[in-house]
PDB file of all heavy atoms in Angstrom:
ATOM      1  N   LYS A 695      -9.841 -21.438 -16.774  1.00 96.00           N
ATOM      2  CA  LYS A 695     -10.127 -22.754 -16.119  1.00 96.00           C
ATOM      3  C   LYS A 695      -8.887 -23.416 -15.549  1.00 96.00           C
ATOM      4  O   LYS A 695      -7.826 -23.553 -16.255  1.00 96.00           O
ATOM      5  CB  LYS A 695     -10.750 -23.727 -17.242  1.00 96.00           C
ATOM      6  CG  LYS A 695     -12.245 -23.670 -17.319  1.00 96.00           C
ATOM      7  CD  LYS A 695     -12.793 -24.801 -18.091  1.00 96.00           C
ATOM      8  CE  LYS A 695     -14.250 -24.445 -18.493  1.00 96.00           C
ATOM      9  NZ  LYS A 695     -14.498 -24.953 -19.950  1.00 96.00           N
ATOM     10  N   GLY A 696      -9.035 -23.813 -14.208  1.00 96.00           N
ATOM     11  CA  GLY A 696      -7.806 -24.529 -13.690  1.00 96.00           C
ATOM     12  C   GLY A 696      -8.183 -24.742 -12.274  1.00 96.00           C
ATOM     13  O   GLY A 696      -9.353 -24.261 -11.795  1.00 96.00           O
ATOM     14  N   ASN A 697      -7.239 -25.466 -11.465  1.00 93.00           N
ATOM     15  CA  ASN A 697      -7.687 -25.649 -10.105  1.00 93.00           C
ATOM     16  C   ASN A 697      -6.622 -25.231  -9.139  1.00 93.00           C
ATOM     17  O   ASN A 697      -5.485 -24.802  -9.670  1.00 93.00           O
ATOM     18  CB  ASN A 697      -7.865 -27.205  -9.938  1.00 93.00           C
ATOM     19  CG  ASN A 697      -6.775 -28.001 -10.367  1.00 93.00           C
ATOM     20  OD1 ASN A 697      -5.606 -27.548 -10.359  1.00 93.00           O
ATOM     21  ND2 ASN A 697      -7.012 -29.243 -10.907  1.00 93.00           N
ATOM     22  N   ALA A 698      -6.719 -25.406  -7.900  1.00 93.00           N
ATOM     23  CA  ALA A 698      -5.885 -24.864  -6.826  1.00 93.00           C
ATOM     24  C   ALA A 698      -4.365 -25.181  -7.040  1.00 93.00           C
ATOM     25  O   ALA A 698      -3.541 -24.450  -6.568  1.00 93.00           O
ATOM     26  CB  ALA A 698      -6.517 -25.134  -5.451  1.00 93.00           C
ATOM     27  N   GLU A 699      -4.118 -26.449  -7.644  1.00 94.00           N
ATOM     28  CA  GLU A 699      -2.819 -26.870  -7.805  1.00 94.00           C
ATOM     29  C   GLU A 699      -1.947 -25.865  -8.591  1.00 94.00           C
ATOM     30  O   GLU A 699      -0.755 -25.867  -8.628  1.00 94.00           O
ATOM     31  CB  GLU A 699      -2.758 -28.303  -8.521  1.00 94.00           C
ATOM     32  CG  GLU A 699      -3.026 -29.301  -7.566  1.00 94.00           C
ATOM     33  CD  GLU A 699      -3.501 -30.647  -8.336  1.00 94.00           C
ATOM     34  OE1 GLU A 699      -2.981 -30.812  -9.340  1.00 94.00           O
ATOM     35  OE2 GLU A 699      -4.217 -31.346  -7.724  1.00 94.00           O
ATOM     36  N   LEU A 700      -2.660 -25.006  -9.479  1.00 95.00           N
ATOM     37  CA  LEU A 700      -1.867 -24.092 -10.287  1.00 95.00           C
ATOM     38  C   LEU A 700      -1.349 -22.910  -9.537  1.00 95.00           C
ATOM     39  O   LEU A 700      -0.492 -22.114  -9.946  1.00 95.00           O
ATOM     40  CB  LEU A 700      -2.809 -23.716 -11.349  1.00 95.00           C
ATOM     41  CG  LEU A 700      -3.038 -24.650 -12.547  1.00 95.00           C
ATOM     42  CD1 LEU A 700      -3.994 -24.101 -13.492  1.00 95.00           C
ATOM     43  CD2 LEU A 700      -1.710 -25.022 -13.293  1.00 95.00           C
ATOM     44  N   ILE A 701      -1.859 -22.766  -8.269  1.00 94.00           N
ATOM     45  CA  ILE A 701      -1.543 -21.467  -7.471  1.00 94.00           C
ATOM     46  C   ILE A 701       0.037 -21.484  -7.336  1.00 94.00           C
ATOM     47  O   ILE A 701       0.684 -22.381  -6.918  1.00 94.00           O
ATOM     48  CB  ILE A 701      -2.231 -21.429  -6.085  1.00 94.00           C
ATOM     49  CG1 ILE A 701      -3.672 -21.310  -6.418  1.00 94.00           C
ATOM     50  CG2 ILE A 701      -1.606 -20.288  -5.277  1.00 94.00           C
ATOM     51  CD1 ILE A 701      -4.556 -21.427  -5.149  1.00 94.00           C
ATOM     52  N   GLY A 702       0.577 -20.240  -7.735  1.00 94.00           N
ATOM     53  CA  GLY A 702       2.140 -20.099  -7.711  1.00 94.00           C
ATOM     54  C   GLY A 702       2.748 -20.518  -9.049  1.00 94.00           C
ATOM     55  O   GLY A 702       3.993 -20.243  -9.083  1.00 94.00           O
ATOM     56  N   GLN A 703       2.108 -20.946  -9.817  1.00 95.00           N
ATOM     57  CA  GLN A 703       2.780 -21.304 -11.179  1.00 95.00           C
ATOM     58  C   GLN A 703       2.420 -20.342 -12.224  1.00 95.00           C
ATOM     59  O   GLN A 703       1.578 -19.592 -12.240  1.00 95.00           O
ATOM     60  CB  GLN A 703       2.277 -22.680 -11.658  1.00 95.00           C
ATOM     61  CG  GLN A 703       2.559 -23.819 -10.879  1.00 95.00           C
ATOM     62  CD  GLN A 703       2.127 -25.170 -11.540  1.00 95.00           C
ATOM     63  OE1 GLN A 703       2.140 -25.310 -12.900  1.00 95.00           O
ATOM     64  NE2 GLN A 703       1.649 -26.085 -10.769  1.00 95.00           N
ATOM     65  N   THR A 704       3.434 -20.086 -13.032  1.00 96.00           N
ATOM     66  CA  THR A 704       3.356 -19.116 -14.130  1.00 96.00           C
ATOM     67  C   THR A 704       2.956 -20.023 -15.400  1.00 96.00           C
ATOM     68  O   THR A 704       3.902 -20.943 -15.894  1.00 96.00           O
ATOM     69  CB  THR A 704       4.601 -18.354 -14.324  1.00 96.00           C
ATOM     70  OG1 THR A 704       5.026 -17.781 -13.246  1.00 96.00           O
ATOM     71  CG2 THR A 704       4.409 -17.133 -15.403  1.00 96.00           C
ATOM     72  N   VAL A 705       1.799 -19.692 -15.933  1.00 97.00           N
ATOM     73  CA  VAL A 705       1.515 -20.589 -17.147  1.00 97.00           C
ATOM     74  C   VAL A 705       0.898 -19.703 -18.285  1.00 97.00           C
ATOM     75  O   VAL A 705       0.366 -18.586 -18.108  1.00 97.00           O
ATOM     76  CB  VAL A 705       0.212 -21.532 -16.679  1.00 97.00           C
ATOM     77  CG1 VAL A 705       0.684 -22.648 -15.698  1.00 97.00           C
ATOM     78  CG2 VAL A 705      -0.941 -20.824 -16.136  1.00 97.00           C
ATOM     79  N   PRO A 706       1.241 -20.172 -19.512  1.00 98.00           N
ATOM     80  CA  PRO A 706       0.715 -19.449 -20.720  1.00 98.00           C
ATOM     81  C   PRO A 706      -0.775 -19.489 -20.838  1.00 98.00           C
ATOM     82  O   PRO A 706      -1.313 -20.692 -20.863  1.00 98.00           O
ATOM     83  CB  PRO A 706       1.500 -20.005 -21.882  1.00 98.00           C
ATOM     84  CG  PRO A 706       1.981 -21.445 -21.442  1.00 98.00           C
ATOM     85  CD  PRO A 706       1.918 -21.377 -19.866  1.00 98.00           C
ATOM     86  N   VAL A 707      -1.411 -18.438 -21.029  1.00 98.00           N
ATOM     87  CA  VAL A 707      -2.955 -18.437 -21.237  1.00 98.00           C
ATOM     88  C   VAL A 707      -3.245 -17.617 -22.484  1.00 98.00           C
ATOM     89  O   VAL A 707      -2.802 -16.596 -22.631  1.00 98.00           O
ATOM     90  CB  VAL A 707      -3.628 -17.812 -19.987  1.00 98.00           C
ATOM     91  CG1 VAL A 707      -5.033 -17.768 -20.137  1.00 98.00           C
ATOM     92  CG2 VAL A 707      -3.307 -18.587 -18.668  1.00 98.00           C
ATOM     93  N   LYS A 708      -3.954 -18.299 -23.345  1.00 98.00           N
ATOM     94  CA  LYS A 708      -4.437 -17.578 -24.488  1.00 98.00           C
ATOM     95  C   LYS A 708      -5.722 -16.735 -24.299  1.00 98.00           C
ATOM     96  O   LYS A 708      -6.657 -17.332 -23.670  1.00 98.00           O
ATOM     97  CB  LYS A 708      -4.740 -18.515 -25.663  1.00 98.00           C
ATOM     98  CG  LYS A 708      -5.208 -17.809 -26.972  1.00 98.00           C
ATOM     99  CD  LYS A 708      -4.864 -18.686 -28.141  1.00 98.00           C
ATOM    100  CE  LYS A 708      -5.341 -17.778 -29.354  1.00 98.00           C
ATOM    101  NZ  LYS A 708      -5.180 -18.175 -30.571  1.00 98.00           N
ATOM    102  N   ILE A 709      -5.764 -15.357 -24.474  1.00 98.00           N
ATOM    103  CA  ILE A 709      -6.847 -14.561 -24.077  1.00 98.00           C
ATOM    104  C   ILE A 709      -8.002 -14.721 -25.132  1.00 98.00           C
ATOM    105  O   ILE A 709      -7.766 -14.498 -26.260  1.00 98.00           O
ATOM    106  CB  ILE A 709      -6.394 -13.120 -24.048  1.00 98.00           C
ATOM    107  CG1 ILE A 709      -5.174 -13.036 -23.048  1.00 98.00           C
ATOM    108  CG2 ILE A 709      -7.605 -12.195 -23.604  1.00 98.00           C
ATOM    109  CD1 ILE A 709      -5.471 -13.596 -21.640  1.00 98.00           C
ATOM    110  N   THR A 710      -9.202 -15.030 -24.624  1.00 98.00           N
ATOM    111  CA  THR A 710     -10.330 -15.242 -25.610  1.00 98.00           C
ATOM    112  C   THR A 710     -11.302 -14.283 -25.440  1.00 98.00           C
ATOM    113  O   THR A 710     -12.111 -13.985 -26.407  1.00 98.00           O
ATOM    114  CB  THR A 710     -10.987 -16.728 -25.168  1.00 98.00           C
ATOM    115  OG1 THR A 710     -11.231 -16.647 -23.730  1.00 98.00           O
ATOM    116  CG2 THR A 710      -9.992 -17.773 -25.502  1.00 98.00           C
ATOM    117  N   GLU A 711     -11.496 -13.580 -24.298  1.00 97.00           N
ATOM    118  CA  GLU A 711     -12.602 -12.611 -24.202  1.00 97.00           C
ATOM    119  C   GLU A 711     -12.138 -11.375 -23.394  1.00 97.00           C
ATOM    120  O   GLU A 711     -11.516 -11.539 -22.271  1.00 97.00           O
ATOM    121  CB  GLU A 711     -13.759 -13.261 -23.628  1.00 97.00           C
ATOM    122  CG  GLU A 711     -15.081 -12.720 -23.928  1.00 97.00           C
ATOM    123  CD  GLU A 711     -16.232 -13.406 -23.466  1.00 97.00           C
ATOM    124  OE1 GLU A 711     -16.225 -14.623 -23.216  1.00 97.00           O
ATOM    125  OE2 GLU A 711     -17.286 -12.703 -22.939  1.00 97.00           O
ATOM    126  N   ASN A 712     -12.643 -10.202 -23.773  1.00 97.00           N
ATOM    127  CA  ASN A 712     -12.368  -9.055 -22.953  1.00 97.00           C
ATOM    128  C   ASN A 712     -13.564  -8.628 -22.058  1.00 97.00           C
ATOM    129  O   ASN A 712     -14.711  -8.392 -22.644  1.00 97.00           O
ATOM    130  CB  ASN A 712     -12.090  -7.936 -23.929  1.00 97.00           C
ATOM    131  CG  ASN A 712     -12.012  -6.487 -23.161  1.00 97.00           C
ATOM    132  OD1 ASN A 712     -11.803  -6.466 -22.032  1.00 97.00           O
ATOM    133  ND2 ASN A 712     -12.085  -5.401 -23.998  1.00 97.00           N
TER     134      ASN A 712
END
Side-chain angles (χ1 to χ4, degrees):
K695 269 192 197 142
N697 54 35
E699 278 163 30
L700 287 175
I701 294 173
Q703 289 184 41
T704 307
V705 293
V707 177
K708 182 156 183 183
I709 304 305
T710 53
E711 204 180 327
N712 173 17

